[in-house]
Amino acid sequence: MNIEMKHDIALVREPGVLITDGSSAMDLLATARYETGCSAMVLRKEQIDESFFRLSTGLAGEMLQKFVNYQMKLAIVGDFSAYTSKPLQDFIRESNEGRQICFQPDEASALSWLERG
C-alpha cells in the first residue's frame, strides 16, 4: 500500500478505487494503522466508490462507522460541487462541523483540519 506520512497523518497515495464496501474500508483502515500507527487519514474522493455519494446505498454510513468505531479521523478530499443532493450536501456540512470526518477541497485544507484535532 502506498501511504505517505505527514504530521502523523496517513496520506493514501494508492491509485484507483480502494473502498467499495465496509470490508474494503476496514482493510484500508487496518493496513494504514498497522503500517503507520497513525490515527488520521486523508483519502481522495476518487479512491472511494461513487456509490458512497448516493446516501441511499448505505456505503457512506457503513464506511464512516468503521472509522468512528476504530477512532481514525478521516478527511476526504475533492470537488463535491457536482453533487446536488440536498441530503448529501447536509451530510457533508454536518460532517465538517464534527471532529471525526470531514470533506475538504484540497489536501492542505484536510491536513489543517486534521491537525486542529
Side-chain angles (χ1 to χ4, degrees), residues 23-80:
S23 178
S24 57
M26 189 65 223
D27 289 346
L28 177 62
L29 190 158
T31 298
R33 172 90 27 99
Y34 176 77
E35 288 184 8
T36 68
C38 69
S39 59
M41 180 187 301
V42 175
L43 283 175
R44 294 182 321 277
K45 78 176 189 83
E46 296 80 19
Q47 294 169 313
I48 303 168
D49 188 81
E50 191 63 27
S51 65
F52 175 94
F53 299 99
R54 291 187 311 276
L55 295 180
S56 63
T57 68
L59 178 57
E62 183 180 7
M63 173 191 153
L64 298 180
Q65 191 62 50
K66 305 279 187 210
F67 281 82
V68 170
N69 288 349
Y70 290 90
Q71 300 175 352
M72 173 78 78
K73 291 184 177 188
L74 175 65
I76 301 172
V77 173
D79 179 5
F80 306 101

Side-chain angles (χ1 to χ4, degrees), residues 96-111:
N96 288 347
E97 292 171 358
R99 295 183 173 184
Q100 187 70 35
I101 310 291
C102 76
F103 295 81
Q104 296 293 320
D106 55 53
E107 192 173 283
S109 300
L111 289 170

